[in-house]
Amino acid sequence: MPNGLAYLMLMIWPLVSLVLFRTLKLERALIWSILGGYLFLPPLAEFNLPFVPAMDKVSIPNLSVLVILAFAMKQRVDLIPKSRAALWLVAGLILSAIPTVLTNSDPILFEVLSTSDPIVFVTDQLPGQSLRDVGSVLIAQMLTLVPFLLARQFLASEKGLREILLALMVGGLIYSVPSLIEVRLSPQLNVWIYGFFQHSFEQAIRGGGYRPFVFLPHGLWLALFMCTALLSAGALARHTRAVDRWKMMLLVGYLAVLLVMCKSLASLLYGAVLLPVILFVPARWQIRLAVAFAFVAIVYPMLRNFDLVPLDAILAQAEAVSTDRAQSLGYRFFHEDQLLARAAEKPLFGWGGWGRSLVHNPETGEILSVPDGRWIIVFGTFGWLGYICEFGLLALPLFLMGLYIHRHGDTALSPFVAPLAVILGVTMMDMLLNATLTPFTWLTAGAILGHAEKLMPHARVGPRHPIERDVVLGKPAVRSGKRTVF
């Protein structure tokens, strides 16, 4: 049970965000309002108000920055993507709530038959969804996309992209202190400060010691965040003056050691493979690698639905690396199969919220399935429509960047967009195993989309007007006013 401080932190975060916008540059204030809330606000604590989604460490920062930019800062907020594909995917992701709610009005009953008489006893039930739930789910979907849409407008420049990398690195360095404390003493900071532990303590014990959680939902979330901090530090080191590069490489080494101490094999492999890519591989190949990651992340769930993934071969390869990891992966595959069978009953629009997409004991209502990957959660909740729109919207910026370098090369690219593309791509890959979609993932995707829109020709939406010249990343670019066609 969260204590009073947990709810107090949620309540004052809009004021914290306002102070950030009053004292920092807009780009930095936007980033730290989102990232700071994700890192330091309590997990699981939330305000449940009627007719609106739960207000928690995700929705409160998102709503705060939107209101501040629209009213307190007097900024012209443009939430409409210029890319037609992005516009359709945004609309589809938000509006997918409507058919999902309308097709799940029936309650799910858990029943026991009497042994002597044909009498049915209802032991428990999951309520159906009604029209009043449409507004709540619509608002939740819109709030989820706030970082994506604001980053597209305000963080698409070279300056904004660098600020994202810098924030990830600084955030990793700040988080290293509580992480090291928890590595030594076990994950206790959330208990000491907010009054509760956010997960099963068994999940914190690894390799004869502990892996840190701090204020994130799980140690896997923290390990992935440290991986992105490491990759960001590598990207900044690559583009630092040669005379100062050794200082940045010391930070890279420090974050690499910290990533090892997080004791997550997947994140450690990501960091070990991708850090050399960030440091030495040309930008165009980094983007192509990110596109490949996004392609796998989208195609894998489709192949799983049609039972075309060689699970036995994958488990055999995992067994060669680690027996424990193979058992963990087999556990995930088993529950994926159960959840896929459940989702197949309502494939188009899903089962909706409140745990309706999970597998339950038909008599007691006990939950029998454990959803790990983000894709299976989205697929079970919102069906094919929600899955295609969410994963498509995350992958679209990478595909657009890949299309641009295929047509025009990488001469006009910001040096910071390629490492961010790699970070987004590997996060999408991790979402096949874990539900590690965070507000900062959306913010990164939005910044890359905005950069792609700046680079692509005919990116402006609006009436025809004479061709004008603008400057994009220090180079002249021609805009014609036609609606984009990509």
Side-chain angles (χ1 to χ4, degrees), residues 12-189:
I12 68 172
W13 194 255
L15 297 177
V16 174
S17 298
L18 181 59
V19 171
L20 291 175
F21 275 95
R22 293 298 190 187
T23 56
L24 301 177
K25 297 179 294 184
L26 187 149
E27 295 90 350
R28 190 166 293 179
L30 172 57
I31 291 169
W32 279 103
S33 294
I34 301 296
L35 181 60
Y38 173 65
L39 293 180
F40 298 110
L41 290 180
L44 304 182
E46 60 186 23
F47 294 108
N48 287 306
L49 305 174
F51 307 112
V52 296
M55 293 289 105
D56 56 16
K57 68 181 295 176
V58 173
S59 54
I60 288 177
N62 291 357
L63 180 60
S64 299
V65 296
L66 179 61
V67 172
I68 290 170
L69 282 171
F71 300 104
M73 301 298 292
K74 298 181 180 179
Q75 289 285 337
R76 180 181 176 274
V77 177
D78 180 12
L79 300 180
I80 307 300
K82 295 180 174 64
S83 163
R84 283 182 180 175
L87 183 60
W88 280 106
L89 289 171
V90 167
L93 184 56
I94 294 174
L95 298 178
S96 64
I98 297 176
T100 294
V101 171
L102 295 182
T103 56
N104 284 283
S105 59
D106 52 316
I108 298 175
L109 304 178
F110 305 107
E111 305 171 336
V112 176
L113 295 176
S114 172
T115 57
S116 57
D117 299 304
I119 301 175
V120 176
F121 298 97
V122 177
T123 59
D124 200 358
Q125 67 174 319
L126 294 175
Q129 297 185 305
S130 62
L131 285 176
R132 66 179 184 179
D133 297 312
V134 171
S136 176
V137 182
L138 283 174
I139 295 171
Q141 296 289 75
M142 287 187 285
L143 287 178
T144 297
L145 291 176
V146 164
F148 177 85
L149 298 173
L150 293 180
R152 184 200 66 83
Q153 179 181 359
F154 296 111
L155 300 177
S157 65
E158 182 168 322
K159 177 182 176 182
L161 297 172
R162 184 181 184 278
E163 285 289 339
I164 296 175
L165 290 171
L166 183 62
L168 284 170
M169 184 189 73
V170 172
L173 293 174
I174 294 173
Y175 235 50
S176 69
V177 177
S179 296
L180 289 173
I181 292 174
E182 292 199 341
V183 168
R184 181 66 182 88
L185 301 178
S186 80
Q188 295 295 326
L189 286 174

Side-chain angles (χ1 to χ4, degrees), residues 56 74 133 177 211 262 269 276 317 325-326 470 475:
D56 56 16
K74 298 181 180 179
D133 297 312
V177 177
R211 60 183 178 190
C262 289
L269 289 176
Q317 292 295 324
R325 299 286 74 78
D470 196 359
K475 297 193 176 185

Side-chain angles (χ1 to χ4, degrees), residues 354-367:
W354 303 332
R356 293 168 56 90
S357 63
L358 303 180
V359 178
H360 297 260
N361 184 301
E363 294 185 353
T364 65
E366 177 188 2
I367 296 176

